[in-house]
Amino acid sequence: MTQIEPIYDKKCECIICKKTFTTKKLRSRFIKVTSYDTDFCPLYASDELNPILYHVNVCPHCGFSSTDDFNPYFPPGAVEDIQSKVCAQWVPHDFGQKRRVTDAIKTYKLAIYCSLLKKEKHIVVAGTYMRLAWLYRLLENTDQENRFMKLAMDAYLNSYMESDFKGTQVSEVRVLYLIGELARRTHHNDQAVKYFSKVIEQQNRTVETGIIEMAKERWYDIREEQKSAKITKNIS
């Protein structure tokens, strides 16, 4: 009996150059999450069997990089922009093999660049920044993790302001919570309190009670930290 491998080849067609290529994906039955961080970062039982490593599809022929969250629609001028700024500069490289964290980081940076040229929704750009921050967390590179968390926070803010998360799987409560949590993690406590408060205000209008509780816990943590800092300051 043939053994089913966790990682398999998925056939893709590039929406820019129309050529086909394969990229690795993980079979869902092999993905085991042990816990989640407070910003929903999943912690997996195996470092190698981490689907975040394979989230981005990179065309080896032209370099166009995307995720399954990208919209197939291209606004006027976007294809030409990508062709001149990505495809014309592309040195052929195949990311369709097993990926290490460092390989995956390169694919996310390519996908972010393509998403900005394509004028992809803020909610999609935010999710891509977020996963990139998580990869830097795995490497314990705090500076880069913070850099991309701040970019994710700005993109979530833009998504909230323009309501472009509507029609996606990401709810308003989750967007508000993520803005608050990313603000907290990047030491913008006033902004964090503001957005956690917005989450808590929705407690009678949402079924996502778990997120309401998380917001209350984070809000309480910040208040306790501020009290401790104040006491320490007064003592010194």
Side-chain angles (χ1 to χ4, degrees):
M1 201 170 115
T2 52
Q3 193 180 351
I4 295 171
E5 290 295 318
I7 296 172
Y8 69 98
D9 283 325
K10 182 186 176 186
K11 196 173 178 185
C12 304
E13 182 183 296
C14 176
I15 49 180
I16 292 287
C17 72
K18 307 300 180 196
K19 290 181 180 172
T20 58
F21 64 95
T22 60
T23 190
K24 300 285 184 201
K25 295 287 176 187
L26 268 174
R27 295 185 203 278
S28 55
R29 73 176 82 166
F30 291 98
I31 300 168
K32 290 185 173 58
V33 179
T34 55
S35 61
Y36 290 91
D37 281 345
T38 51
D39 60 353
F40 306 119
C41 173
L43 305 172
Y44 295 99
S46 162
D47 290 343
E48 286 178 21
L49 302 182
N50 179 344
I52 296 169
L53 299 176
Y54 301 100
H55 189 64
V56 176
N57 310 319
V58 181
C59 174
H61 309 291
C62 75
F64 179 69
S65 307
S66 64
T67 72
D68 294 345
D69 303 320
F70 275 42
N71 190 315
Y73 169 76
F74 284 81
V79 171
E80 293 76 9
D81 227 10
I82 290 163
Q83 284 171 335
S84 66
K85 291 177 180 169
V86 177
C87 310
Q89 324 288 328
W90 180 245
V91 177
H93 189 96
D94 185 10
F95 284 102
Q97 306 309 313
K98 284 186 179 178
R99 292 177 189 169
R100 293 165 305 182
V101 174
T102 48
D103 301 320
I105 283 170
K106 290 173 189 169
T107 70
Y108 276 89
K109 288 181 176 176
L110 286 165
I112 287 163
Y113 187 46
C114 289
S115 71
L116 296 174
L117 291 173
K118 186 180 175 295
K119 298 177 179 64
E120 195 54 70
K121 279 183 168 190
H122 297 299
I123 194 70
V124 173
V125 178
T128 316
Y129 278 136
M130 191 81 171
R131 288 179 178 89
L132 181 50
W134 294 344
L135 290 177
Y136 277 115
R137 190 176 301 168
L138 285 176
L139 295 179
E140 298 179 1
N141 185 333
T142 310
D143 289 346
Q144 290 299 318
E145 181 193 346
N146 283 338
R147 177 188 166 204
F148 287 104
M149 282 197 296
K150 281 176 188 162
L151 288 165
M153 180 179 71
D154 290 343
Y156 279 121
L157 259 171
N158 288 330
S159 177
Y160 174 62
M161 299 299 181
E162 294 179 25
S163 296
D164 80 357
F165 60 87
K166 288 185 176 171
T168 73
Q169 290 180 326
V170 188
S171 66
E172 183 175 349
V173 168
R174 186 173 279 246
V175 171
L176 291 169
Y177 174 83
L178 281 167
I179 295 167
E181 177 58 5
L182 292 170
R184 186 186 74 85
R185 282 174 172 262
T186 53
H187 313 294
H188 295 83
N189 281 347
D190 290 345
Q191 180 151 340
V193 167
K194 177 184 171 183
Y195 280 90
F196 287 142
S197 299
K198 284 180 184 285
V199 174
I200 295 161
E201 282 166 18
Q202 299 224 17
Q203 62 187 341
N204 297 324
R205 300 196 299 276
T206 180
V207 293
E208 293 179 274
T209 51
I211 294 179
I212 302 293
E213 289 311 308
M214 287 170 77
K216 286 177 180 176
E217 285 166 18
R218 301 292 84 71
W219 189 89
Y220 180 77
D221 291 344
I222 293 168
R223 284 285 180 247
E224 288 303 300
E225 277 169 34
Q226 288 173 337
K227 273 186 207 165
S228 300
K230 209 170 179 181
I231 291 164
T232 310
K233 195 177 172 188
N234 289 343
I235 292 168
S236 57

